Amino acid sequence: MKVYNGENKQERRKKRYITPIVYALAEITLAWLIISIAMIDFNIYRWNIWGKLILSISTIYSIYKMILIYKRQKNYKRD
């Protein structure tokens, strides 16, 4: 949907549901890979407490960012 507001034409975007989830999963996977390389083990159960704590904090942060993105999106009515 395009909106004309004087000089510029702006396009209103529809709500995105899948894209923020994909980005959050990609961030969590990247954090897991980086911590796995640092721990020299890809099995989470064999990590020490610090690796698990860092992974859980990064997971919570990614989910928090995803929730903020969903709250920021608006519902636009189609003309």
Side-chain angles (χ1 to χ4, degrees):
M1 170 188 343
K2 292 189 178 181
V3 177
Y4 182 71
N5 65 350
E7 298 175 10
N8 300 329
K9 288 186 179 179
Q10 297 177 347
E11 185 174 341
R12 292 185 175 181
R13 296 183 181 177
K14 293 185 270 183
K15 271 190 160 186
R16 305 285 184 213
Y17 296 104
I18 302 298
T19 308
I21 293 173
V22 170
Y23 278 107
L25 290 176
E27 286 178 355
I28 294 167
T29 305
L30 180 65
W32 172 74
L33 284 173
I34 291 172
I35 296 169
S36 295
I37 291 171
M39 296 287 171
I40 312 173
D41 193 5
F42 287 98
N43 189 354
I44 296 175
Y45 297 113
R46 289 187 281 200
W47 289 0
N48 59 14
I49 192 70
W50 296 109
K52 292 177 185 177
L53 182 66
I54 292 170
L55 182 64
S56 63
I57 289 171
S58 64
T59 301
I60 290 169
Y61 180 68
S62 295
I63 292 171
Y64 173 73
K65 286 192 327 184
M66 182 182 65
I67 291 170
L68 287 181
I69 290 171
Y70 283 133
K71 286 182 180 179
R72 191 173 56 214
Q73 292 180 358
K74 299 175 183 168
N75 281 327
Y76 289 114
K77 296 179 182 177
R78 292 187 173 206
D79 291 338

